[in-house]
Amino acid sequence: MTDLTDSQSTPVTPTRRALIGWGGAGLALGAAAAGGAVAMARTGNDADPAGAGAGAAVAFHGTHQAGIATPVQDRLHFAAFDVTTDDRAEFVQLLKDWTRAARRMTAGKPVGEGAYGGLAEAPPDDTGEALGLRPSRLTLTVGFGPSLFARFGLDGQRPEALVDLPKFAGDNLDPSRTGGDLCVQACADDPQVAVHAIRNLARIGFGKVVIRWSQLGFGKTSSTTPEAQTPRNLMGFKDGTRNIAGTETGRLEKFVWVGKKDGPDWMVGGSYLVARRIRMHIETWDRTSLQEQEDIFGRDKGEGAPVGRAKERDEPFLKAMKPDAHVRLAHPDSNRGATILRRGYSFTDGTDGLGRLDAGLFFLAYQRDVREGFVRIQRNLASDALNEYIQHVGSAVFAIPPGVRDTDDWWGRTLFSEEA
């Protein structure tokens, strides 16, 4: 994990569907880093938080993919795919088709010719469940897993920073929720808009890719908008106080975006994503005393202030916290400056068959180098007191290529084009 107590959120007017959500209260945990249709203006580095109104459209084109530094939406549908085709040209065409569909869906438009009105004897181009809904700030973010580079003659293009994650203390990973050749992160303020996007991309990919695993998320646990109220995780603590803001260009360049000197060239402007499904032992936590809960985090539960401080955003005095406090171990000062950008979401997936909620945090962390970001922080969290109440049960890592620059560009062009 990483700092559960550092983030912000953007206030929006929720739709009825967004209020209903996918069923369940917000459950979340963060990982540390201490550290319709009005179009949302987008610069080369980030989306403008001022455009973050409910129903707005986030610009699809840009130097970086949307859905990273973009103001965090309320809902998530994340999907990892396995590639089933061995034909490079066929796979490249899929990426182009996905890009074309994503461009339309993020603008609130149906895929292709739409869900009705076409040839009656053929399936429609769009599945139709988002008809009449606004764009809801939908963003679609695509990544390539380590296993993809064993295909299509890409062995020499795998970035050194895209490492296979080591086994961390306490890991109990389920292979059916781990790995993947590709990923698509769909974030939106309306859950049906996010689900519609993944469903249509999976439909377009039939015969070329298949969903390996997926995760629905609600109740964002981190945000990239500093002026908004900090959200709370399902343990009741503020989450993401020190997360990187989408407006902090300097920190984004230092900790999130791949630079020209990092290599390889096709990744410049991209980032690296670590996705972790973190099960929370809710029933045990709910029987823990308030004092112990606050000692475990290193913050008070009401204001969110660090131990010995008065306000949430006061600089933490780490030595005042217990040696195994989560904030202390996750803080950049305890990790040689390591900082990541988090976009976590809560999840509930029924029960585990033993009368306990299968619930927790779906943790998403973006960084410039996985080795210097998540790996370093997670290793330092081996002695985290919070580990008694959580367990990492799913894991994946992906290279997130740079953004789609214009209507002639497509996801993965810098990697797959002959020019590259």
Side-chain angles (χ1 to χ4, degrees):
M1 287 218 24
T2 9
D3 191 356
L4 294 171
T5 54
D6 292 4
S7 161
Q8 293 82 21
S9 56
T10 303
V12 298
T13 304
T15 63
R16 183 176 69 86
R17 181 179 287 99
L19 288 173
I20 294 173
W22 277 310
L27 164 97
L29 202 55
V38 177
M40 178 181 291
R42 191 162 188 266
T43 67
N45 291 318
D46 187 29
D48 180 4
V58 177
F60 181 71
H61 298 133
T63 304
H64 314 293
Q65 288 195 61
I68 302 175
T70 307
V72 182
Q73 304 92 322
D74 290 331
R75 298 291 186 268
L76 166 80
H77 191 186
F78 187 95
F81 293 81
D82 283 337
V83 176
T84 57
T85 180
D86 293 322
D87 188 321
R88 177 186 174 112
E90 188 175 50
F91 181 68
V92 167
Q93 186 58 53
L94 170 65
L95 293 175
K96 293 179 179 179
D97 293 341
W98 270 11
T99 304
R100 188 177 303 109
R103 185 181 288 118
R104 292 187 61 84
M105 289 190 290
T106 55
K109 300 176 181 179
V111 176
E113 297 301 319
Y116 61 91
L119 186 65
E121 292 75 19
D125 290 340
D126 188 282
T127 53
E129 70 274 23
L131 287 173
L133 301 180
R134 295 179 293 177
S136 299
R137 295 198 296 135
L138 173 67
T139 56
L140 292 167
T141 312
V142 163
F144 303 140
S147 55
L148 181 69
F149 293 87
R151 295 173 169 270
F152 308 125
L154 298 174
D155 303 76
Q157 294 295 325
R158 178 175 172 175
E160 292 183 3
L162 185 65
V163 296
D164 293 311
L165 295 179
K167 181 176 176 57
F168 297 106
D171 277 3
N172 185 24
L173 303 182
D174 179 354
S176 68
R177 295 182 180 273
T178 296
D181 295 331
L182 294 169
C183 76
V184 180
Q185 172 194 284
C187 297
D189 289 325
D190 186 326
Q192 189 145 318
V193 171
V195 170
H196 168 264
I198 294 295
R199 178 182 175 186
N200 275 273
L201 294 181
R203 180 187 57 78
I204 293 170
F206 182 77
K208 307 175 191 68
V209 295
V210 62
I211 291 182
R212 179 182 178 89
W213 56 269
S214 69
Q215 182 68 59
L216 300 176
F218 64 91
K220 61 187 175 188
T221 64
S222 296
S223 116
T224 56
T225 310
E227 65 272 14
Q229 180 178 341
T230 304
R232 292 181 183 269
N233 59 51
L234 285 182
M235 291 179 162
F237 282 78
K238 291 186 177 181
D239 201 338
T241 299
R242 303 178 66 86
N243 198 28
I244 299 174
T247 53
E248 293 183 294
T249 304
R251 293 182 77 198
L252 289 169
E253 292 293 339
K254 183 176 181 179
F255 297 115
V256 178
W257 307 132
V258 176
K260 293 182 179 179
K261 296 181 180 180
D262 299 328
D265 290 346
W266 70 267
M267 271 294 295
V268 175
S271 189
Y272 295 96
L273 169 65
V274 172
R276 303 279 281 186
R277 189 178 191 270
I278 303 172
R279 171 86 181 272
M280 297 171 65
H281 305 312
I282 297 296
E283 293 77 12
T284 305
W285 179 260
D286 290 344
R287 294 179 177 86
T288 302
S289 70
L290 174 61
Q291 185 61 62
E292 185 174 352
Q293 289 182 2
E294 292 184 335
D295 287 343
I296 288 169
F297 272 95
R299 290 182 180 270
D300 74 65
K301 199 167 188 177
E303 166 62 27
V307 172
R309 304 300 191 193
K311 299 296 182 181
E312 174 193 347
R313 291 180 175 80
D314 289 347
E315 188 64 28
F317 180 49
L318 300 183
K319 292 183 178 180
M321 303 175 187
K322 290 184 176 296
D324 57 358
H326 180 75
V327 170
R328 179 171 180 169
L329 293 173
H331 195 279
D333 289 353
S334 300
N335 294 281
R336 290 180 287 165
T339 303
I340 54 182
L341 183 153
R342 288 164 295 126
R343 293 181 67 94
Y345 287 85
S346 301
F347 69 84
T348 60
D349 288 334
T351 65
D352 64 358
L354 298 174
R356 299 172 300 192
L357 285 173
D358 179 7
L361 167 75
F362 190 67
F363 168 69
L364 298 166
Y366 288 90
Q367 59 242 278
R368 185 172 173 175
D369 190 316
V370 175
R371 298 164 297 182
E372 304 301 318
F374 179 80
V375 171
R376 181 182 295 178
I377 296 169
Q378 190 62 25
R379 279 177 169 160
N380 201 45
L381 291 172
S383 60
D384 188 355
L386 192 60
N387 290 339
E388 181 179 347
Y389 303 92
I390 63 172
Q391 189 169 52
H392 292 236
V393 296
S395 179
V397 59
F398 300 95
I400 308 299
V404 176
R405 302 299 183 97
D406 51 40
T407 54
D408 294 323
D409 202 359
W410 43 277
W411 277 326
R413 177 192 54 80
T414 56
L415 172 61
F416 284 96
S417 68
E418 295 301 325
E419 294 76 14

